[in-house]
Amino acid sequence: MQGVADTLREFWAHRPVRPRAGRKLGGVATGIALRYRIDPVIVRIAFVALALSGGVGLPLYLAGWLLLPEEGDEVSPLEALTNKGSSSMSQGQTVLLGILMFPTLAFTFGGNSGFQVFVTLAATIACIYLLQKNRGHLQPATLADPAAPAVPLAPGAPAWDPLGAAPFAWDLPEPAPAPQAQPPAPRQRKPRIGLMTMGVATLVVAASAIAGAWVPWFTVPHTIGLVIAVLSAGLLVGSFTGGGRGLIWLLVPASVVGFGMTAVDFDGSPTRLSNYDETPKSVSELRDRYETSVGSVRLDLRQLPDSGSVKTAIDVDLGEAVVRVPKNADVTFTCEASSIGDLDCLGKRAEGSSVEVSGRDLGENGEGGLEIELDVRSSVGEVRVLRD
């Protein structure tokens, strides 16, 4: 841990500088790419991926904008606001960026489970650590070398004697420049990463269409997912070998189409991307099952009658499931996080990968009263069954 802390301190001491040229917005992605000599496209894709992962990329980018100095500045905009040096960004712009942090943080932490945000931030810090550890010794790259300063001519001096060292020969004609034959530079052929990637993607589509007749898994959304994986791999290889940048114009629409097909049903009903917040007051109002791919399910059963029996199941792929039960109800429960998650079900806790808890809790008055049977499952996220 001491080594990790030293590496992060070194990152802060030699943090990236946001360039004035070649940037798309605030220069955060370009500055990181130049600092560690990697393709800016990779960094930009990483920020987009983090933004799509619950919005974590938005406050991270704003934080980089505030904490990384701009090219030619003494300190970062936030440090300049505390009178630690000068920055080209005005105090009003710095305050505006700071204000924008509040809605982005509210969106990130309000719409997602704390566990998901923690995992994403931990992965981001790990990537920063690995970059600094493996490439921190490299000198930052530049977008273009600065032009060499011109030598001032002496008054009345010809171009061949700029310092005026031989005024006696100024009347002589200008010497003709000696011809310099330069061999043409050999053209370097870039690897045809784009064509190769498109060929592999075409083969994937063809193979999926053939295999779909025998294997039900090869549906259209799964095929699009395979194509996205191939395009992403080609873009990553091309960032190191040169070429393949045009793949991003195929990757972005393919990602949008793939997300739409998996998140929204074709009949227009967003049953796979939704939040449930219900308080049933009778047994008939309670559904047999609550399902969502991305979202949350909050179910309050405390308004149900004191007698009878009810049964329901909750299935969340990515998100949060919270069930509140009456004080005197007899609850039989099974809580599971099939991939990774955090469970807290009537006093039984577990967290990690592929965890499950189950049991029966009779409440404050012992056996008797409303019988509740719960089956609450989440692939990635939090599961809570609370009695209060």
Side-chain angles (χ1 to χ4, degrees), residues 34-104:
L34 294 177
R35 171 65 182 88
Y36 297 106
R37 290 184 174 269
I38 56 180
D39 196 317
V41 175
I42 295 179
V43 186
R44 291 177 183 137
I45 291 176
F47 272 110
V48 172
L50 289 173
L52 294 176
S53 179
V56 178
L58 300 177
L60 286 179
Y61 193 91
L62 288 177
W65 203 338
L66 289 169
L67 296 175
L68 299 182
E70 192 173 22
E71 182 182 0
D73 292 349
E74 295 179 356
V75 295
S76 66
L78 192 60
E79 290 172 316
L81 197 62
T82 57
N83 297 323
K84 292 185 178 181
S86 62
S87 173
S88 58
M89 182 181 291
S90 66
Q91 292 187 352
Q93 292 174 316
T94 305
V95 172
L96 178 60
L97 287 178
I99 294 174
L100 288 176
M101 285 289 289
F102 290 98
T104 56

Side-chain angles (χ1 to χ4, degrees), residues 12 20 34 54 75-76 137 156 160 186 191 217 247 251 261 268 280 295 327 350-351 364 372 380:
W12 179 254
R20 298 181 184 272
L34 294 177
V75 295
S76 66
H137 62 282
W160 59 267
W217 185 86
L247 294 174
L251 181 61
M261 295 186 69
K327 294 182 179 181
E351 60 180 340
E364 295 182 352
I372 300 177
V380 178

Side-chain angles (χ1 to χ4, degrees), residues 131-145:
L131 275 176
Q132 181 64 34
K133 190 73 174 176
N134 297 305
R135 306 181 70 89
H137 62 282
L138 300 177
Q139 293 295 324
T142 56
L143 291 173
D145 294 331

Side-chain angles (χ1 to χ4, degrees), residues 205 208 219-229 253-255 257-259 261:
V205 173
S208 299
T219 60
V220 173
H222 287 168
T223 302
I224 293 177
L226 292 175
V227 172
I228 291 173
S255 300
V257 172
F259 178 80
M261 295 186 69

Side-chain angles (χ1 to χ4, degrees), residues 231-276:
L231 295 177
S232 301
L235 190 63
L236 180 61
V237 173
S239 65
F240 290 99
T241 60
R245 286 174 175 250
L247 294 174
I248 194 170
W249 301 109
L250 297 174
L251 181 61
V252 171
S255 300
V256 172
V257 172
F259 178 80
M261 295 186 69
T262 55
V264 181
D265 290 343
F266 288 108
D267 60 0
S269 175
T271 57
R272 295 177 179 266
L273 181 63
S274 55
N275 295 322
Y276 295 95

